[in-house]
Amino acid sequence: MHPWLLLLLPLHVLASKDRLLGVSPDLVARYVPTKKGSAETWQCLDGSKTIDWSSVNDDYCDCTDGTDEPGTSACPDSRFYCVNAGHIGSYIPSTRVRDGLCEPECCDGSDEPEGVCPNVCKQVGEEYRERVKAENKLRKTGSKIRSTYLAFAQKEKKRLEEEIASSAQEISAREKEVARLRDLVERTESLSAAALEEKKSSPLYQSLITHHAALKSLQREHKKHLERETALGEILDQLRTGYNPNYQDMAVLEAVRGWEQLAGLPHINDVGKEDENPDELGSDESEAASEEEQLEEGIWSTEQLEHQLDDLLATDYEGLLIEHDKHVGAPASPTSILFNLSAYLPDAVVPQYEALRDQLVSWLELLGLAQSKTDTAADTSKAQKTLGDAEHNLNLARREKEDKERELSRLFDPEWYGPDGEWKKLAGTCIEKESGDYVYEVCLFDEARQKPLKGGQTFSLGKFAEWNNAEGIEKGSPAYYSKQHYTRGAKCWNGPQRSVTLDMSCGLENAVLSVAELEKCEYEFKVTTPALCLPLSASDIKREEL
Ligand code: MAN
């Protein structure tokens, strides 16, 4: 309450001015005694008790709610109101009343006995008003810049909406194109399959297939014979090592001798004697070598037959057929006559003829009545490539549209660019500050970095995560937008991942004022921005006056 308001109070109240010490202006009207004859009584504010008016502010706590002692420290948990005439009134806990200390909140010194604390409210009030004035001036100018941010958001909304609409059109055109190309690929593929079937009926291909079948049969028979030979060899080996020479059975002896000769084995009776006559062995070896078959050029050796025949039989004959076509030239297509005709025409009409021809061919191709002059396999892969490219472009257009939709949804989202989109203008704006051995940079809504001045690794200090997440902070309130958190930066050696908190306030420029590493790898940037310069309200302007 202004001091002159006291003049309006009834006389009996003025007389008991001390009773009103520490009472806030909104409660003054309730500190009035009730008169009954010469007695004056008063009721505690919670209505729990009626006491003598003289007991108010008598430094003894009577009321359970402590309201009888607004100007002393007698009741715990009560508040003392400093009038602070010339400045702004404020409360202090009553425990700080008459403790011999001058409270900065009580510039009038009313919490202490007269003469203890000087009344400095005039000077404090003037300084305060100057400060408020400067702050208001800053906000006034800053809010003009801020309003351009709001206008920017509106333009962005329009731009994004238009771009999304045109993206949607582009996507639908691309979808149709993809569908058309997919159909074309399917048709080309079936055409190409039919053409392949046709080519397969060529005598050369048929003969190749017959050769393949014969070779495969021979391979099977060959394998069978080899197995048979091995089995017979085992039988004869048993006979050779197990027969009784004393029986002089000539048929057995001849069979053994015959087998030994065929298999290149020494006679069983001579086994173990080779060491005594090394010369003989040497001559055997040279004989064996000289017996090596001399193969005609191109004829396969046993080795090759064993190891390469399977590969040969696994040949892709259809692939060969397509390759073969390329070597010998594609068969004449229904359109080929059109291509050869120009050679017979007078030079003057050739360009018009060629233009007409190309148009006609493309119509025929479109209608599926003609194949292009290149071969069908090449057509298929060309069509597939065109389809692949079209699908890729469609996906790109879809992704672009999704990005724009995401950006639009963030535009007026309180958790992103604010309810008025005031922060959108700053998305991606990079501001920096040199501090110590580093330049600290933050690209708003993106990432913060620590760049060493003397060379070395730049560390990410984190990516934009959220606005002020402290407990009790209301989403969308000015306090909410006073802090931004950037988290999950480069891991600190033996510590957490680096992170930054931007502590932001109204300023005419987007700037980093200072940087501090409050805890190891936890940084705080003091930042100013016009986005926080809210337009002045009537009460803000009033604060300048008193
Ligand atoms: C680097 C910088 C410092 C940080 C240390 C932690 O030197 O990122 O800010 O304190 O790493 O090891």
Side-chain angles (χ1 to χ4, degrees):
M1 184 168 92
H2 287 283
W4 55 264
L5 270 180
L6 291 171
L7 297 172
L8 300 178
L9 293 172
L11 264 182
H12 67 272
V13 174
L14 273 181
S16 55
K17 216 178 103 193
D18 281 354
R19 307 265 171 255
L20 293 179
L21 186 67
V23 178
S24 66
D26 55 324
L27 291 177
V28 162
R30 297 182 67 185
Y31 280 81
V32 179
T34 310
K35 281 196 168 212
K36 230 184 216 171
S38 60
E40 288 184 320
T41 56
W42 182 80
Q43 205 178 34
C44 304
L45 292 190
D46 64 358
S48 60
K49 208 171 176 184
T50 300
I51 58 171
D52 271 359
W53 175 237
S54 60
S55 298
V56 174
N57 268 344
D58 68 345
D59 210 10
Y60 181 83
C61 196
D62 297 286
C63 299
T64 44
D65 63 354
T67 50
D68 62 312
E69 292 299 318
T72 74
S73 54
C75 295
D77 304 329
S78 61
R79 296 191 303 171
F80 178 91
Y81 182 78
C82 315
V83 175
N84 292 342
H87 185 39
I88 300 166
S90 73
Y91 289 99
I92 57 166
S94 60
T95 48
R96 277 153 65 182
V97 173
R98 290 176 190 259
D99 60 354
L101 298 172
C102 300
E103 312 295 334
E105 296 95 328
C106 275
C107 58
D108 61 1
S110 59
D111 60 315
E112 297 301 324
E114 258 242 12
V116 175
C117 296
N119 185 336
V120 289
C121 284
K122 191 168 177 290
Q123 189 199 339
V124 170
E126 268 164 22
E127 281 169 7
Y128 170 79
R129 282 186 293 281
E130 279 308 307
R131 219 171 40 245
V132 169
K133 217 168 160 181
E135 261 175 43
N136 281 358
K137 196 174 160 203
L138 181 74
R139 265 179 59 187
K140 215 168 146 191
T141 321
S143 67
K144 282 187 191 145
I145 305 174
R146 184 180 183 272
S147 66
T148 67
Y149 293 179
L150 302 194
F152 178 82
Q154 291 301 331
K155 271 196 211 137
E156 278 293 278
K157 178 174 184 276
K158 202 160 166 267
R159 178 185 70 85
L160 287 167
E161 281 170 351
E162 278 169 14
E163 285 184 14
I164 288 166
S166 84
S167 282
Q169 275 180 2
E170 184 192 329
I171 286 168
S172 118
R174 287 193 184 281
E175 277 169 349
K176 279 187 197 128
E177 176 67 359
V178 164
R180 187 186 74 79
L181 289 170
R182 198 167 287 144
D183 181 53
L184 199 67
V185 165
E186 276 163 18
R187 278 193 292 136
T188 324
E189 273 171 358
S190 65
L191 247 176
S192 141
L196 189 62
E197 281 314 306
E198 174 64 25
K199 280 175 193 165
K200 277 183 179 172
S201 63
S202 87
L204 186 62
Y205 182 78
Q206 289 304 320
S207 167
L208 196 59
I209 295 302
T210 311
H211 277 76
H212 173 266
L215 206 51
K216 194 130 189 143
S217 314
L218 270 177
Q219 188 195 37
R220 192 194 59 223
E221 287 302 310
H222 178 62
K223 269 190 190 149
K224 244 197 256 170
H225 283 298
L226 280 180
E227 280 162 15
R228 219 172 130 88
E229 187 191 306
T230 311
L232 281 171
E234 277 166 14
I235 295 169
L236 287 167
D237 270 341
Q238 275 172 10
L239 183 67
R240 174 171 167 255
T241 51
Y243 85 101
N244 188 343
N246 299 332
Y247 288 159
Q248 294 289 330
D249 187 330
M250 287 315 285
V252 173
L253 196 60
E254 254 175 53
V256 169
R257 287 273 187 207
W259 169 237
E260 285 171 344
Q261 208 176 358
L262 188 70
L265 299 167
H267 184 43
I268 189 71
N269 293 346
D270 299 335
V271 172
K273 293 181 189 163
E274 289 101 342
D275 293 348
E276 295 163 20
N277 207 346
D279 289 352
E280 270 179 36
L281 192 70
S283 67
D284 276 356
E285 271 177 8
S286 61
E287 248 173 63
S290 70
E291 271 176 22
E292 218 170 74
E293 223 180 325
Q294 290 298 308
L295 295 175
E296 260 179 62
E297 206 185 318
I299 299 297
W300 283 24
S301 65
T302 315
E303 284 272 285
Q304 279 176 299
L305 278 173
E306 224 170 87
H307 298 111
Q308 293 176 23
L309 193 55
D310 281 334
D311 288 346
L312 183 72
L313 288 169
T315 302
D316 170 16
Y317 294 105
E318 287 182 4
L320 270 186
L321 190 59
I322 291 162
E323 275 298 301
H324 172 75
D325 255 17
K326 283 188 195 154
H327 284 274
V328 297
S333 78
T335 52
S336 61
I337 183 127
L338 295 167
F339 289 91
N340 299 333
L341 209 59
S342 56
Y344 306 100
L345 291 173
D347 285 352
V349 295
V350 166
Q352 289 95 316
Y353 160 71
E354 281 182 348
L356 187 69
R357 178 199 66 191
D358 291 347
Q359 184 63 61
L360 183 61
V361 168
S362 74
W363 285 342
L364 288 173
E365 284 170 10
L366 258 177
L367 293 168
L369 296 174
Q371 288 166 234
S372 74
K373 63 183 168 150
T374 52
D375 72 285
T376 45
D379 278 353
T380 308
S381 79
K382 205 170 127 197
Q384 275 165 342
K385 192 184 172 308
T386 315
L387 172 64
D389 288 350
E391 282 173 334
H392 175 69
N393 288 335
L394 172 62
N395 285 339
L396 279 184
R398 279 183 179 151
R399 227 170 297 147
E400 227 172 79
K401 182 166 167 269
E402 279 164 18
D403 288 348
K404 283 175 192 149
E405 281 167 343
R406 193 179 328 109
E407 222 27 32
L408 182 63
S409 75
R410 287 175 177 177
L411 192 53
F412 299 112
D413 179 351
E415 290 182 40
W416 275 91
Y417 302 132
D420 297 321
E422 63 270 38
W423 295 94
K424 169 68 181 167
K425 172 82 178 158
L426 302 181
T429 296
C430 300
I431 47 179
E432 56 179 39
K433 175 82 185 166
E434 194 177 309
S435 175
D437 292 336
Y438 305 96
V439 169
Y440 290 86
E441 177 194 60
V442 60
C443 294
L444 295 165
F445 295 94
D446 183 15
E447 192 172 12
R449 294 177 196 90
Q450 184 190 46
K451 303 190 269 192
L453 282 168
K454 295 170 196 144
Q457 198 187 347
T458 290
F459 288 121
S460 165
L461 299 185
K463 291 233 170 210
F464 172 69
E466 57 189 339
W467 291 100
N468 197 351
N469 59 0
E471 226 182 86
I473 299 291
E474 202 186 316
K475 206 176 278 177
S477 66
Y480 181 69
Y481 295 116
S482 69
K483 283 189 200 304
Q484 269 195 346
H485 297 289
Y486 290 74
T487 59
R488 296 166 182 257
K491 180 145 171 26
C492 184
W493 189 75
N494 257 351
Q497 277 183 283
R498 289 174 174 79
S499 64
V500 183
T501 296
L502 304 191
D503 187 356
M504 303 197 284
S505 58
C506 158
L508 297 188
E509 279 176 17
N510 290 297
V512 181
L513 300 186
S514 64
V515 173
E517 191 171 342
L518 300 177
E519 295 280 340
K520 195 174 171 192
C521 295
E522 288 177 18
Y523 307 82
E524 183 188 74
F525 294 7
K526 295 260 184 228
V527 166
T528 58
T529 170
L532 279 180
C533 301
L534 299 173
L536 293 176
S537 65
S539 71
D540 290 323
I541 296 166
K542 219 171 158 201
R543 281 202 310 158
E544 282 183 36
E545 304 149 9
L546 201 86

